[in-house]
Amino acid sequence: MHNFENLLFWQKSIALAKNIYIICQEISSDEKFGLISQIKRCTVSIPSNIAEGSGRNSNKEFNHFLAIALGSAFELQTQLILVKELNLLSEEKVSILLKEVSEIQRMIYSFKNNLK
């Protein structure tokens, strides 16, 4: 069992989720039940799956939940690209978020490979 709160990529994914929630307030309320809802769900899924997997009984199970977290990170990346393409947020703000997502993706991927 791993203490997820000590994992830097979990800490960064919590910070990312906070940033996403704050910045989503800037997106038109027309998207409240569409893209914003989807962005928030997959953002929360990243640290949630890391935490859930860390409490499992084996590294194999943890690896499975890390794969789900990684998938959610790629889903978020795609949605942020769409936000940029639709001009729902400034390119600068989206670029900062995309850099955070990319860093988390690399960290999860690296940890997964070392966990095997």
Side-chain angles (χ1 to χ4, degrees), residues 39-73:
I39 288 171
K40 287 179 176 180
R41 278 197 307 272
C42 70
T43 300
V44 170
S45 177
I46 299 167
S48 298
N49 277 292
I50 294 167
E52 184 174 354
S54 72
R56 295 299 173 137
N57 293 326
S58 70
N59 283 347
K60 182 179 179 182
E61 287 180 284
F62 190 15
N63 206 328
H64 171 74
F65 281 92
L66 290 173
I68 295 169
L70 191 56
S72 293

Side-chain angles (χ1 to χ4, degrees), residues 7 25 46 71 78-79 89 94 103 106-107:
L7 298 171
Q25 294 174 11
I46 299 167
T78 299
Q79 293 162 1
L89 287 173
V94 175
E103 180 182 22
R106 285 191 303 274
M107 293 174 83

Side-chain angles (χ1 to χ4, degrees), residues 2-104:
H2 300 268
N3 183 346
F4 64 89
E5 291 179 280
N6 291 334
L7 298 171
L8 184 58
F9 56 90
W10 178 85
Q11 295 168 6
K12 287 183 177 284
S13 65
I14 287 291
L16 173 65
K18 181 179 172 184
N19 291 339
I20 290 286
Y21 267 75
I22 291 168
I23 209 157
C24 277
Q25 294 174 11
E26 297 178 28
I27 298 175
S28 167
S29 61
D30 293 347
E31 285 297 329
K32 185 175 182 182
F33 298 107
L35 192 54
I36 292 173
S37 176
Q38 187 66 24
I39 288 171
K40 287 179 176 180
R41 278 197 307 272
C42 70
T43 300
V44 170
S45 177
I46 299 167
S48 298
N49 277 292
I50 294 167
E52 184 174 354
S54 72
R56 295 299 173 137
N57 293 326
S58 70
N59 283 347
K60 182 179 179 182
E61 287 180 284
F62 190 15
N63 206 328
H64 171 74
F65 281 92
L66 290 173
I68 295 169
L70 191 56
S72 293
F74 280 102
E75 182 181 356
L76 176 60
Q77 179 182 10
T78 299
Q79 293 162 1
L80 289 173
I81 291 168
L82 183 57
V83 163
K84 183 176 70 174
E85 293 292 321
L86 294 171
N87 296 313
L88 297 175
L89 287 173
S90 72
E91 188 169 335
E92 180 183 338
K93 288 179 181 179
V94 175
S95 292
I96 291 168
L97 294 170
L98 286 170
K99 285 179 185 176
E100 290 179 46
V101 172
S102 180
E103 180 182 22
I104 291 166

